[in-house]
Amino acid sequence: MMATIHFEDFAPGQVYPLGRRTLTRDEIVAFAREWDPQPFHLDEQAAAGSIYGGVIASGWHTVCAFMRLFADGLLNRSAAMGSPGVDEVRWLRPVRPGDTLDARLEVLEVRPSRSKPDRGIVRLRAAMSNQQQQEVLSFIANVMFRRRAAAARE
Amino acid sequence: MMATIHFEDFAPGQVYPLGRRTLTRDEIVAFAREWDPQPFHLDEQAAAGSIYGGVIASGWHTVCAFMRLFADGLLNRSAAMGSPGVDEVRWLRPVRPGDTLDARLEVLEVRPSRSKPDRGIVRLRAAMSNQQQQEVLSFIANVMFRRRAAAARE
């Protein structure tokens, strides 16, 4: 069994590669139909007349694809306790059908909780790049992790 | 046919109510299984032992529920052109199975694009409250809208 990652295991500058995911046209349209039904996410003809020149993925689809890789690649072998929020979500370039997105995290800051000694906040930069190594998504995530000392007390 | 909402129709202080949506347990688990498979979103027993004391919705599920109400209630009768990003996403309280979320938008600022005369950016505060009128989600969205003058030129 893999050792569980706790708050103390993070340090500024660490980089976690999280793997890749391809967004197909069917997935882009299905996601948009459910959560973000704007014409330039749904319909090739409408999208061709938009500033994007063709169907692009909902920005929330890109974020969700990141989140799934984050959960599979790191959170679910960690003592993560959820997140109070994220900052500076930037959709830097359109994501188009068939694009393969490569996800990674960089640790920016670690901060023990002042009020709750069992946990700390890790500030991370999340990013995804396409197959041309162009960044398409960036955001700053604040994630709570249990401290190892606290886990040992349980 | 309803008049399309353009950049010029927004003014700071305007509030747009966007309607409500209830997140059922099945929907919460299905969303989490696809996009955010952490134990406290998926499994009642695991969640009971977490700091949340029971299953809570993925924060991205709450955001996506907002987005759908935003698209249905405003974007799809507007000349929206997409978004470069959002700021200060805050998950203020857990969202639990059966919670009914009420979405609204407030216009914070309107800014014509300096480089592109056909559009402007509207800075909005997005918020969702639960059935106890407690805010559960807040974020700042920057959305591009086509200007009416530009549309008339087409």
Side-chain angles (χ1 to χ4, degrees):
Chain A
M1 200 180 142
M2 293 183 79
T4 299
I5 302 169
H6 286 83
F7 173 71
E8 290 85 349
D9 298 315
F10 292 98
Q14 287 171 344
V15 173
Y16 288 87
L18 297 174
R20 291 176 195 187
R21 178 168 181 150
T22 300
L23 302 193
T24 68
R25 180 177 300 268
D26 285 353
E27 288 166 345
I28 286 172
V29 171
F31 185 98
R33 196 169 283 141
E34 191 163 7
W35 300 116
D36 189 358
Q38 298 185 76
F40 44 82
H41 299 316
L42 286 173
D43 177 68
E44 195 53 49
Q45 213 169 340
S50 77
I51 59 171
Y52 304 110
V55 163
I56 63 168
S58 168
W60 300 116
H61 192 181
T62 314
V63 169
C64 283
F66 178 90
M67 188 65 214
R68 177 60 189 268
L69 291 167
F70 185 19
D72 290 347
L74 195 158
L75 291 175
N76 281 345
R77 47 192 189 91
S78 82
M81 304 168 78
S83 166
V86 305
D87 292 296
E88 296 170 45
V89 179
R90 294 292 175 270
W91 295 296
L92 301 165
R93 277 183 187 77
V95 173
R96 299 183 188 277
D99 277 358
T100 297
L101 306 183
D102 193 23
R104 67 188 176 285
L105 269 182
E106 183 188 344
V107 178
L108 300 179
E109 192 187 339
V110 298
R111 197 171 63 234
S113 169
R114 267 169 251 165
S115 57
K116 299 193 170 128
D118 66 342
R119 69 194 74 167
I121 294 265
V122 180
R123 196 164 169 84
L124 302 147
R125 192 173 93 89
M128 284 183 116
S129 298
N130 64 19
Q131 63 278 6
Q132 278 101 41
Q133 285 78 51
Q134 298 166 319
E135 212 162 270
V136 297
L137 170 71
S138 171
F139 64 95
I140 309 292
N142 297 296
V143 183
M144 296 184 291
F145 292 89
R146 192 173 288 279
R147 300 185 69 165
R148 181 163 280 119
R153 276 202 305 271
E154 287 175 342
Chain B
M1 201 181 142
M2 294 183 79
T4 299
I5 300 169
H6 286 83
F7 172 71
E8 289 86 350
D9 299 314
F10 293 98
Q14 288 171 343
V15 173
Y16 288 88
L18 297 173
R20 292 177 194 184
R21 179 167 182 151
T22 300
L23 302 193
T24 68
R25 180 177 300 270
D26 285 352
E27 287 167 345
I28 286 172
V29 171
F31 185 98
R33 195 169 285 140
E34 191 163 6
W35 300 115
D36 189 359
Q38 298 185 76
F40 45 81
H41 299 316
L42 285 174
D43 176 67
E44 196 52 50
Q45 214 169 341
S50 77
I51 60 171
Y52 304 110
V55 163
I56 63 167
S58 168
W60 298 117
H61 192 179
T62 314
V63 169
C64 283
F66 179 90
M67 189 65 216
R68 177 59 190 268
L69 291 167
F70 185 20
D72 289 348
L74 195 157
L75 291 176
N76 280 345
R77 46 193 190 91
S78 82
M81 303 167 79
S83 166
V86 305
D87 292 296
E88 297 171 44
V89 180
R90 295 293 174 270
W91 295 296
L92 301 164
R93 278 183 186 77
V95 173
R96 299 182 188 280
D99 278 358
T100 297
L101 306 182
D102 193 23
R104 68 187 175 286
L105 270 182
E106 184 188 344
V107 178
L108 300 179
E109 192 188 341
V110 297
R111 199 172 60 235
S113 169
R114 265 169 253 163
S115 57
K116 297 190 171 131
D118 65 342
R119 68 194 76 168
I121 293 266
V122 180
R123 195 164 170 84
L124 303 147
R125 191 173 92 88
M128 285 184 115
S129 298
N130 64 19
Q131 63 278 6
Q132 279 100 42
Q133 285 77 54
Q134 298 166 320
E135 212 162 271
V136 298
L137 171 71
S138 170
F139 65 93
I140 309 293
N142 298 297
V143 183
M144 295 185 291
F145 291 89
R146 192 174 288 277
R147 300 186 70 167
R148 181 163 283 117
R153 277 203 304 271
E154 286 174 344

